[in-house]
Structures are given as structure tokens and as C-alpha cells.
Amino acid sequence: MSKRTWWRRLFGIKERVVPHQTTADPTRPDLREFIYLDEVSLLSLLSSQKGEITDSKSEQASEGSEASIDATAGANPGFIAKAEITSRYQTTNSSTIQTSRKATVQSRFRDLHEIDGLRIIEPVEVNSPAKDIDGLKKAGNLSEIATTDELQRGKLVEFRVRLGADPVFHLGTMVSEFTAMSEDYPGMFAAGGGLATLQEVQPINKILQRLLAGLVPIRATAVDYVVAEIGDTEYIVHKGLIEGIELKTRPLEIVGVTEQEAYWKDLRRVLFSDAEFTVFARISRPGLHDSWTPVKLADLFTEVAPNFIDQINAAGRVPFGKPAASDSADSPESKLADALTRYTSAILNDLDATLTPEQETLLALSIAELKTRSASVSDQTSAFSLLTKRVLAMVGGEVAPARALALRTAAREEAGLSFFPPSSSLAQANPNAPKDLGGHAPRLLDVDLVAIYW
């Protein structure tokens, strides 16, 4: 303590407050609060770098002293009498101090995070943006620009992201919540066939929850990075590096599954708020992808039900429509007619077939008839199935079920057709309406998440 501080405390003199001055120490480590942490992955990664990891450390110190005095007195051998005296004095003083320190999982993450050279991509600030494409390619830091070939399985990455749940999990959560509310307040969902729709969707939702098996699929958008294609090579590029450069880019999304038990916060507080966090992850599939499967048990059912998982994934990508007048362009009937028309064109394009004027007229009449089947999931599915049979009967050929599902899903998304009746309370929640990406669909980086924090 300085003399100035001592005198101020002695006489109760307060320090003069400087306006707009912070007392925070900029040299201290960043504050880190976890919302998700996979302890098994963390310890495995840390032990691979440091070898044996002890659970606790013990320190012991002791001090001791001993003093001894010996004295002997005796007569000469010539004397008759002989005397001998021995005196001994001993004293011992010892003290023992033992300290035990136990490492927490947060401190172990800090140990792993401080190891240099582990992450190929980590949050950085770009001070000098590239002036042109040639300068962009010469940037040597992978945290600024990295090719997809450098995204190898097992590499560690760290991104700032806007965190969100995959639409499949979002759909399941919403259906579960609305089902619970409908049981408490049935009158609220009685109008417009809302209860019937919930009863129809609930079995699918229960199967979905069983297949997820306690896993929460995550889909997060990178805040600082985008994907750019330069020539024949695809890059992950820091936004600060390409300021001022005319470059066509696509969003980068980080996808992966997390364990529900490993969350340290309520899922509703972190997955549905679109808040920014940092993710620390390990690449599970090399390179970038256009799609992924959030339901990881899909491969188990490939042979017995090849289309089931695709149908669940497709349901998560279709919007939950809004109320609209039946005669408007946004009505369910109009959207179903639009989707059926797009679906017909897609099938004909796949089969490389054309229709005669008479066949076009017949299909137009069929679509006008089938567009009334928009009230429920089963009605819409039957409309697509019946239209498929009529088209194939006219032009011949065959469409594989998986391909038909893909074409049907694309038609739904383009037309904005909802699975749910718009008059129900369920349909009025519209969190996942598809956005017009204008050919800028995101690229996906599939990872195993180790930690999510801020």
C-alpha cells in the first residue's frame, strides 16, 4: 500500500471521481460464462495434449530443529575414586502445512484454450483489409481466409455465432408446447380444426423426440465469416478482410448436435433468442456441405423407411402459415395450387416429358380440384400423391419416392405452403418462414460441439 493511499484511508479522504472513467483492468482475462460444455470431449482433448491429468494437487511443507548438549567429567586413572557426568538437552519444533487444490471443469477448458496452435480458425480482428483478389489469396492466416480443403475432420475451430436450434427441434418443441396448452385450454384451439391438427401431428412429434434421444440439433450463423468462391476454390473468409471488394458470398452456418444434459442454462433462454455466443468445436465432416441430418438415427431406418426421416426434416423447413382470406393469393388453397403446379413442372422436367394441350387442361382441372385439400397434413399429402399418379399415367415413367419427396418439399418451400391450417392457433406462430436467399443459400460446416460460451 502506498503512503498516499494510507493517508487517504487514515483521514477518510475519498478519491476524486473522473467522469466516464472505468475501473476495469484491461489486462485481466476475458470473462467467460458457459451455457454448454461437453466434459468428456474436453478431458479427452486436454489429455491428448498434456498426458496424465490429475484431479487434485497436494502440497506439504514441514520444519524442525533439534539441539543436543553432551558433557562428560571423570577423574584421572591414578585416583581411587572415579566420577563421570553426562548431560543431554534436546528440543524439537516442527510444523506441517498441507494445501489441496481441486481443478474445476472451467479451469480445464482454460488450460486447453490457452494452448497455442490447436485451433485452425479462431476469432481475430482484421486490421488491414485486402485491396483486391490477389491480395486476398496471399493472406496467410487461416483465421482470416481458409480453403475448404483445410477443413479436415478432427481440426478445432472457434467462431462467434448467432445461436439457434435446427428447425426440426424448433418444430418439435413448438408442437409439444401447443399440445400441453391445448390440454389445459381446449376452447382456445377448438376453432378452425386446431385440435384435430395437433392430434394428427402429435404421434409424429413423439417419434421425433424418441429419435432425437436427448440430443439437441444446433444451427448457428457465423457472425464474422462468410463463404466465397474464387475461381474453382471455395473459401471461408473473414468479413473484415473483404471490405471494399466486390465478391459474391454465401452465409456460413455451424451445425451439430448437443446433449441436452450438458447445458448449464435453460434451453429456452439460449436457443430461441438469436443471441450471440462463441462456439468451440471439432470438425466432424471435412469441407462444407449444402445439407445435413439433424436426426442422427436416420441411417438405422434407411432400409425399412427410407423417406421417413426426410419427411421430418422437410416438415422443419416448411413455414407455419398465417391467416389469410380464402380468395386471396396468400390463402392455403392458392398456395397449395401453386405448389402442385410447381411440383408438376418439376416431375415433367425430371422425366424430360411434355404434355399435350388436352393433358395440360386435364391437369389444370385436377389441380383446381385438389387445391381444396389444404386443411391438414394428410389432406395435403393425399393431393400430392394423387397428382403424382395422374401425371405418371399421362406421360409414363417412374419417380423414386425419395426424389418425389425432394421435389414436393422444394415446391412447398417455393410456394410458402404450410403443413398446418392457418386458422389454428398453431399456425399463427411463424418463426421459421423461409427467406428469399436469391441463390445465396448458406453453406454448412458440420462439427462436434465442445463448448458454447460468452
Side-chain angles (χ1 to χ4, degrees), residues 2 26 37 88 190 217 260 287:
S2 65
L37 188 57
R88 178 179 178 86
Q260 189 168 350

Side-chain angles (χ1 to χ4, degrees), residues 150-211:
E150 290 165 322
L151 303 176
Q152 297 298 319
R153 172 177 166 82
K155 298 294 185 180
L156 289 175
V157 292
E158 187 176 21
F159 292 97
R160 288 197 312 121
V161 300
R162 287 192 301 274
L163 187 64
D166 187 85
V168 168
F169 183 79
H170 204 144
L171 173 67
T173 303
M174 192 184 68
V175 171
S176 298
E177 293 296 327
F178 273 104
T179 300
M181 286 189 288
S182 68
E183 294 176 354
D184 296 333
Y185 308 100
M188 178 180 175
F189 295 84
L195 285 177
T197 301
L198 286 173
Q199 292 173 356
E200 187 174 3
V201 176
Q202 188 61 19
I204 300 177
N205 185 55
K206 288 183 178 180
I207 296 175
L208 174 61
Q209 298 301 326
R210 180 179 291 272
L211 292 177

Side-chain angles (χ1 to χ4, degrees), residues 227 229 234 248-251 290 435-443:
V227 178
E229 188 172 344
E234 201 171 31
K248 184 179 179 180
T249 62
R250 301 169 66 178
D290 289 322
K435 301 176 182 179
D436 184 11
L437 299 176
H440 294 76
R443 294 285 277 160

Side-chain angles (χ1 to χ4, degrees), residues 32 63 65 86 92 100 105 121 124 141 154 184 207 209 212 241 251 263 284 299-300 318 351 365 410 413 430 440 454:
R32 183 180 293 126
E63 299 177 355
S65 61
T86 299
T92 301
S100 179
V105 65
I121 297 178
V124 295
N141 189 349
D184 296 333
I207 296 175
Q209 298 301 326
L212 286 175
L241 190 64
Y263 279 89
S284 60
D299 295 337
L300 182 62
V318 174
L351 296 175
L365 293 174
E413 293 177 355
N430 190 24
H440 294 76
W454 65 304

